[in-house]
Amino acid sequence: MRIVLVAALVLTSGLAFADEGQWQPYQMPSIADKLQQRGIDIPASQLADLGQYPMNAVVSLGYCTASFVSPQGLVVTNHHCAYRGIQYNSKKEHNYLTDGFLAHTQAEEPSAGPNERLYITEQVTNVTEQVMANLSNEPLARFEDIQANRKALIKTCEADDNYRCSVNSFHHGLEYYLTKQLIIRDVRLVYAPPESVGGFGGDIDNYEYPRHSGDFTFLRAYVGKDGKPATFKKGNVPYQPKSYLKVNADGVKAGDGIFVAGYPGSTSRYNLTSELQFASDWIYPTYAKRYQLQIDTITFMGDVDKDIALKYAGTMASMANRMKKINGLLDGFNATDIVGIKQQRENDFLAWLKKDPNANQNLINDLEALLAEKHQQMQTNYFFKNAQSSEMLQAASKLYRLAKERKKPNDQRESGFQLRDMKMFKAALKRIDSSFDPVVDKILWLQDLQAYVRQPLKNEVFDHALSISDNFEQLESKVEGLYALTELTNQTKRLAWMAKSAADFENSGDPFIRLAVAIYNTNMAVEKSEKLLSGKLSSVRPEYMKAIIDYYKSNNWPVYPDANRTLRITYGMVDGYQSKDALYKQPFTRLAGILAKNTGEEPYYVPAKLLAAIKADDLGKHRVTSVYKQQSSCQFMSCLDKPADFNSVPVNFLSSADTTGGNSGSPVFNGKGELVGLNFDSTYEAITKDWFFNPTITRAVHVDIRYILWMMDKVDHADSLIKELALVTNTVAVTEAVPVKAATVVTTETKATASAELASEVTPELATELTTEIETTVAAKAIPQLPVTTKAVVAPKVNADVSTELVPELASEIAPELTSEVETTVVTKAVAQVPAAKAAVPKVNVDISVPEIASELAPETTPELAIKIVPERATEVETTVATKDLPKVPVAAKAKVVVTTQVTATEKAAVTTKTVTEKETKKPSIAD
């Protein structure tokens, strides 16, 4: 019944493809209609252009995603993505994992570690023809030919040492794309909340929902004084990105369209059913058993020695995450018969293929035979490879391999051992010390050796070299001797081996080096057999994928490549889901959930200052009244006439975006391309999406930007960082002007940051009076009948409170308590209606940047209105002009409008008004 029901629902309803797809950027124009249906207004062509905002602000960490959010190279990502950098700087005397970290100045920002990099994708090129040119028919030679062609392309691309290039396979070798990325080698830690915030809920909440995790951290990219990438150095300066993301402080509501950009790691949606069955029956259970043993061991040892716990914190987090995911996959396969679903689809594909007289009818059989060989190979080599898991043995093996590869011309060396790899190679050897303890490493290795001894697939060479025996005490004694006599635990001596010859290794007395030399040929034989099989698959699998793509297209199904750590875009909407019978999970969580989960102990320990801020209800401008577009609904909440307001700060939220590992840290955008959150997890029911996308239960989990901003503002007081951000807010759309009573105050909440362009529009007499920021609140009585649809921004740098600097008659109308810096909303019409004696605005100049709109304006609009065309103002600001204020301008017309009030120096107030559809904080260099 379960098979029939689920398969029928998914395969016949067409529902399986809603919001599905991890799309290459160049594909976006082909799904422009789907983006528009979701309310994503940013042009698809703009998303396809990696040189334009926002895609040129999205970067890779190599294993996670991040994005630029300031002109000073400030980067935001997940806390768990920056974990290594936080751990690298944590010591017993200042444990940043426990206490969090905030640099108040750039001088206080420490290196995130020698291995940390930012990769900025600048170009992606289809190179399928070049990679597939002149290939041999012999499998091993074919594999080597493909690798040689890839290396040649990479060599040309990396003529500049500041770039890292890669040639990635798409659709299992049917296509190849060359990716060119700028490397930022100096990455520093800026701001990280405590792990009790960033990883609130720990492994218990991992992949679960509701979630209340503040999974965010800020880093900064640095370069040399010449602006070029450089390794960590005191004199380096912040990198200036081509663009950085606007941050929407109003966030999103349920039902809003969103999209996510990032570097998803790996999916297997086009794999055969037999591959899914093998993973379910052997791969996942086998891996889970090993991970759990390692987790238990490190946990026990970490409880005894806190230094061990600190060193292995990153390793533990990674293993725990993998363990939870494997369990989720196994549970998901039991809950939903994905094997049955895929088998049914495979059967339908074969039936379709038989209708084509020119198709290869043996396609599936040929591929299945090779996959059976691959599965046997994996099982044969699994325990042998694990038996080499010692950190010291791995280092010795890589160093000896380097010495052997150096004998070859650089172009012929194995990837990972070429000149281009040496900086990372060296950095990896250095980093061993930060996450390695000889006692722990020895015990973990012994566990793998025991597992190897207990299984039948032994390797004679390895057994002889290590004197393997069934006697555990003898094995333990042998391992003790290796660690006691090796010099590789010393970083200086370890690094020195990078310059040694193969002969030096072969004559060494170091026990780990001797072991590495002894098993080298065996490892090369294993590698050769794997390459041979890959060569065979490189002929058959692309043919299969070509047929599958044709089949998908014939059904009008989405065709996108499996994830492979290249830049992708996925879209969806903010939405909850029915997780089980009678249980609907709402799309947003709130601060109250943190209090409800708080136990005072990990993993539900809430830091004192966060606890105090929540209990004090100190939300300020971050308070959100409602997260729903409609205030009543019987579908997902109580059918009361007026449901309770949200009245909190949203912590995490759900969306239907199609994400997976590697998407951690990915920016979540609203329909305008503004940052509204960070992706950090998936729901437990959605883990199986790596194999199959089920839209009814597949949800990504994001940390809400409003929670991040509240934490920065009210909890950690990261004021200098907040000022770096380009904050914008949403427009409250009202169709007609709303009369406001004298006691009512109309305000906005967006801070305006100074701009040289804006300052130049103020009269010279006022230039010396300007300061950086001002916010004013003007009493409604001073501006009768203020239309809410039109907005205004007070010109930056006014050196006084408006309430005290306006003429006495107007000042007396403003409440005394409004004398602090606040913001204002002013419209042209309102200014025109206020008597000159009160408004102190004798003249208004309007710069209209769009000729078509300017031609619609009639002189009779306002006697004082002087209209002029200023093309260079085209980048200033976008607006929708209300017909009530400018009668001859169509309501839907869009224009770039700047309204400048000209006042005298003695009045000490300059108001720059712009009628806009959103009130936004503009930075002079942000890319729109």
Side-chain angles (χ1 to χ4, degrees), residues 778-816:
V778 180
K781 188 173 181 181
I783 305 177
Q785 296 184 345
L786 179 64
V788 182
T789 49
T790 52
K791 302 291 176 183
V793 178
V794 176
K797 300 189 176 180
V798 179
N799 189 22
D801 254 320
V802 169
S803 58
T804 58
E805 292 297 328
L806 293 176
V807 291
E809 294 85 351
L810 184 55
S812 65
E813 301 286 352
I814 300 178

Side-chain angles (χ1 to χ4, degrees), residues 85-288:
I86 304 169
Q87 178 194 28
Y88 178 79
N89 287 284
S90 294
K91 304 291 184 290
K92 287 183 178 179
E93 56 272 20
H94 52 75
N95 190 337
Y96 298 143
L97 286 173
T98 300
D99 304 328
F101 174 80
L102 173 62
H104 295 282
T105 66
Q106 291 179 3
E108 299 174 6
E109 298 171 358
S111 169
N115 270 12
E116 294 309 306
R117 300 286 188 273
L118 289 179
Y119 299 94
I120 306 170
T121 300
E122 293 188 357
Q123 189 176 353
V124 177
T125 308
N126 190 326
V127 291
T128 305
E129 290 186 8
Q130 295 95 311
V131 172
M132 303 301 287
N134 304 315
L135 300 183
S136 171
N137 291 324
E138 195 278 315
L140 182 58
R142 179 184 175 87
F143 175 87
E144 297 291 358
D145 288 344
I146 291 174
Q147 299 310 307
N149 289 342
R150 293 168 83 167
K151 290 175 186 176
L153 289 165
I154 290 171
K155 180 181 178 181
T156 302
C157 180
E158 290 183 347
D160 185 337
D161 189 49
N162 293 321
Y163 285 88
R164 183 79 171 183
C165 300
S166 60
V167 175
N168 300 100
S169 167
F170 291 75
H171 292 302
H172 291 286
L174 181 63
E175 296 178 338
Y176 289 88
Y177 283 81
L178 172 68
T179 301
K180 183 177 183 179
Q181 296 176 311
L182 181 70
I183 313 171
I184 302 296
R185 297 188 175 92
D186 184 355
V187 182
R188 305 190 189 182
L189 182 63
V190 178
Y191 167 45
E195 186 178 8
S196 54
V197 173
F200 184 72
D203 185 54
I204 296 175
D205 273 8
N206 192 22
Y207 287 112
E208 300 292 346
Y209 194 84
R211 289 292 288 277
H212 301 84
S213 175
D215 199 353
F216 70 92
T217 290
F218 287 86
L219 306 170
R220 195 183 303 277
Y222 280 79
V223 291
K225 290 182 178 179
D226 59 358
K228 296 181 179 180
T231 54
F232 177 81
K233 188 178 180 182
K234 202 167 186 180
N236 286 353
V237 298
Y239 171 71
Q240 296 183 1
K242 292 180 180 178
S243 72
Y244 52 93
L245 301 182
K246 288 184 282 188
V247 179
N248 192 300
D250 284 343
V252 285
K253 291 188 175 184
D256 282 351
I258 55 93
F259 66 97
V260 177
Y263 294 81
S266 176
T267 54
S268 306
R269 293 179 187 170
Y270 296 102
N271 286 30
L272 268 63
T273 307
S274 60
E275 293 177 276
L276 172 57
Q277 193 72 62
F278 179 71
S280 176
D281 293 346
W282 187 84
I283 294 179
Y284 296 146
T286 304
Y287 284 24

Side-chain angles (χ1 to χ4, degrees), residues 676-899:
V676 294
L678 300 177
N679 184 75
F680 74 94
D681 205 358
S682 297
T683 55
Y684 195 73
E685 298 89 341
I687 292 178
T688 52
K689 67 185 173 182
D690 281 2
W691 289 91
F692 177 78
F693 186 89
N694 183 343
T696 61
I697 58 174
T698 298
R699 294 293 181 270
V701 186
H702 317 298
V703 56
D704 199 296
I705 196 65
R706 291 166 288 193
Y707 182 56
I708 296 175
L709 292 173
W710 177 76
M711 283 286 302
M712 296 173 75
D713 182 17
K714 296 295 185 179
V715 180
D716 290 325
H717 306 291
D719 301 331
S720 60
L721 293 184
I722 294 176
K723 290 179 181 178
E724 277 195 61
L725 304 178
L727 297 177
V728 301
T729 60
N730 298 326
T731 294
V732 180
V734 178
T735 58
E736 60 181 0
V738 180
V740 187
K741 296 181 180 180
T744 305
V745 176
V746 180
T747 67
T748 65
E749 291 185 345
T750 304
K751 289 187 177 181
T753 301
S755 159
E757 283 188 314
L758 290 176
S760 66
E761 294 188 29
V762 183
T763 56
E765 299 84 55
L766 284 177
T768 58
E769 299 290 333
L770 302 181
T771 56
T772 304
E773 297 180 353
I774 183 168
E775 298 172 83
T776 67
T777 299
V778 180
K781 188 173 181 181
I783 305 177
Q785 296 184 345
L786 179 64
V788 182
T789 49
T790 52
K791 302 291 176 183
V793 178
V794 176
K797 300 189 176 180
V798 179
N799 189 22
D801 254 320
V802 169
S803 58
T804 58
E805 292 297 328
L806 293 176
V807 291
E809 294 85 351
L810 184 55
S812 65
E813 301 286 352
I814 300 178
E817 62 269 24
L818 300 178
T819 56
S820 60
E821 291 188 341
V822 289
E823 292 180 305
T824 186
T825 301
V826 185
V827 295
T828 304
K829 182 181 177 185
V831 171
Q833 288 179 342
V834 177
K838 288 190 176 183
V841 183
K843 184 178 180 181
V844 177
N845 287 339
V846 183
D847 292 350
I848 305 295
S849 301
V850 184
E852 293 82 355
I853 299 300
S855 64
E856 298 286 346
L857 296 176
E860 64 269 23
T861 302
T862 308
E864 293 85 1
L865 232 61
I867 303 170
K868 55 182 179 179
I869 308 300
V870 186
E872 58 269 20
R873 281 279 166 258
T875 60
E876 189 67 34
V877 50
E878 186 176 65
T879 183
T880 299
V881 182
T883 56
K884 190 169 183 181
D885 297 318
L886 300 172
K888 295 298 182 71
V889 181
V891 175
K894 297 224 169 176
K896 310 289 184 178
V897 178
V898 178
V899 180

Side-chain angles (χ1 to χ4, degrees), residues 67-81:
S67 50
F68 287 115
V69 288
S70 95
Q72 294 297 308
L74 190 65
V75 170
V76 67
T77 187
N78 286 156
H79 183 276
H80 77 263
C81 292

